[in-house]
Amino acid sequence: MAAPATTAPAPPGRRKSVTGTRRTVAFLFLLPALVLLGALVVYPIGYSLIRSFYNANGDGFAGFDNYKAIFTDDGIRTALKNNIIWVVFAPTLSTALGLVFAVLTERIRWGTAFKLVVFMPMAISMLAAGIIFRLVYDQDPDKGVANAVWVGVHDTFARSSAFPNAHPGRESPLKPDQGGFVTTAAVHAGQPVSLPLVGVAPDQMPDGAKPAVAAVSDPGKVTGSTWQDFTRGKGVGRLGAPDPSELGYDGMRIEAVKDGTVVASAEAAADGTFTLPAAADGAVLRLPASNFKQPYNGVDWLGPSLVTPAIIGSYIWMWAGFAMVLIAAGLAGVPRELLEAARVDGATEWQVFRKVTVPLLAPVLAVVTVTLMINVLKVFDLVYIIAPGSSQDDANVLALELYRKGFSEGQPGIASAIAVFLLLLVIPVMWFNVRRLRREERR
């Protein structure tokens, strides 16, 4: 009986050729990506590293002089200090705000809509966000939203003067005195006093102002009138006397002063008239400087002292939504029975949040914070667009200083050194992030 036929095993060489073919195909698929990676990442890094050891012209070896400039140049040191501020505060505040939003939106019915609104700034480019916040922080309250709100709150508690540009006109009985004005002669009871002023545009007069009238004599009191002594048109109106079209200085403060002491005071009515008691007899009348102080104009958000916090605020506006979405995704995976068990054991909501929710979200919070740290180390757009030229030096960061050295000041060697220094700062943070992600995958 013949032995059954057996299939001979494939020769080892054929197996190797199949494996080699697969490797070749995989390499060919990866080749375009490798070429782009080399052209856009590896080559620029290598060129920057080499260029950082040469002088501005690129024809002389400068050694470590360019790296020494990072720690000795005043502009670069300011940029380094601001980068530290950015790394400490921007990721921390963005993550904290995202955590608060993520936790609170789980308790409201319209949480999804709220998340959409908070995340929406992520759809805006840094350029557009910079232009938006340049307008938000404008010094003029009529343009800048931040100062419009700030001035509104201030004026609610501290009334601003309506007469910052008022001053005596021709043949006026007033003269300057410590930022205000005072009568040139003493006043007496029963003799009405006229205190005409000019310099306030009709549309800037108080809303409650009424047509001015002359004061009525009162034998036991000092009476008077203060008004805008100006009527449009050549030769129209009487100088030193109220005309029908002239308005009274509603709210103007008048003080009676004897020997440097205020003995009586009053505020003008809507028609400009005022009345002082008999104690004002023989005194001089003073319109104090508080009547003429310039209106409160808000905060100089983009000035040297506040420009960096203001720009960080715009960054938080953009990236808090990013943090919220990632943290909300992590929060969705938190076992609800743990939270309920803590509540059953008598823990308050704050204790549940602090001792249960936050520890369980610690890996997600770390990833979000580290990702934002990498992002802020390279921040450039917001600082370049929002900070005006007068305070750009105070808001300077390393990426902006790299741009200025390389393209504005003609020092490519120092710019390359800054680029390499930035890479060295980013690598440890990236390594920490990758290591944490791999640790999470093993779990």
Side-chain angles (χ1 to χ4, degrees), residues 108-415:
I108 55 178
R109 298 177 61 182
W110 38 275
T112 302
F114 181 81
K115 289 179 182 177
L116 178 63
V117 172
V118 174
F119 187 73
M120 197 175 295
M122 284 296 300
I124 302 174
S125 68
M126 286 281 198
L127 173 64
I131 295 173
I132 290 171
F133 274 88
R134 181 67 180 267
L135 294 174
V136 167
Y137 292 132
D138 195 286
Q139 180 69 43
D140 187 353
D142 293 331
K143 297 178 182 178
V145 175
N147 266 340
V149 174
W150 196 267
V151 170
V153 173
H154 173 273
D155 289 350
T156 301
F157 299 97
R159 183 178 176 182
S160 294
S161 171
F163 321 109
N165 298 316
H167 60 274
R170 292 177 298 157
E171 302 178 15
S172 175
L174 296 167
K175 63 180 181 179
D177 177 69
Q178 300 178 4
F181 305 100
V182 65
T183 56
T184 55
V187 298
H188 300 282
Q191 298 178 3
V193 183
S194 295
L195 302 178
L197 295 168
V198 295
V200 180
D203 59 342
Q204 298 297 320
M205 291 292 288
D207 295 335
K210 296 180 180 179
V213 297
V216 178
S217 176
D218 189 330
K221 298 179 180 180
V222 174
T223 59
S225 180
T226 178
W227 75 99
Q228 173 77 357
D229 190 20
F230 177 80
T231 302
R232 292 178 182 273
K234 185 177 181 181
V236 178
R238 297 166 297 166
L239 191 65
D243 292 304
S245 63
E246 297 171 352
L247 299 176
Y249 280 136
D250 181 23
M252 177 74 76
R253 182 174 177 81
I254 301 97
E255 297 176 344
V257 181
K258 286 183 179 180
D259 300 325
T261 303
V262 177
V263 296
S265 64
E267 282 193 1
D271 59 4
T273 58
F274 60 88
T275 302
L276 294 165
D281 185 56
V284 294
L285 299 187
R286 180 173 66 189
L287 305 180
S290 59
N291 290 316
F292 312 102
K293 66 180 180 180
Q294 292 295 324
Y296 181 68
N297 205 35
V299 178
D300 187 9
W301 297 104
L302 299 181
S305 58
L306 290 179
V307 62
T308 295
I311 300 174
I312 290 177
S314 66
Y315 178 90
I316 294 171
W317 176 78
M318 288 193 67
W319 288 88
F322 167 81
M324 178 195 66
V325 170
L326 293 188
I327 295 171
L331 191 60
V334 172
R336 290 298 181 266
E337 54 269 19
L338 294 179
L339 304 179
E340 294 302 327
R343 294 187 181 100
V344 170
D345 288 342
T348 63
E349 288 300 323
W350 170 246
Q351 290 174 327
V352 171
F353 172 76
R354 186 165 56 92
K355 296 186 177 181
V356 180
T357 304
V358 172
L360 290 174
L361 289 175
V364 178
L365 297 176
V367 170
V368 172
T369 304
V370 172
T371 302
L372 293 179
M373 288 175 65
I374 296 172
N375 187 271
V376 300
L377 279 171
K378 303 177 293 179
V379 68
F380 165 79
D381 318 59
L382 289 177
V383 180
Y384 182 72
I385 297 166
I386 296 177
S390 58
S391 58
Q392 197 170 84
D393 289 341
D394 300 284
N396 201 10
V397 290
L398 287 174
L400 177 58
E401 185 65 15
L402 185 157
Y403 170 81
R404 294 168 68 175
K405 293 293 185 187
F407 297 98
S408 299
E409 301 179 16
Q411 302 184 55
I414 296 179

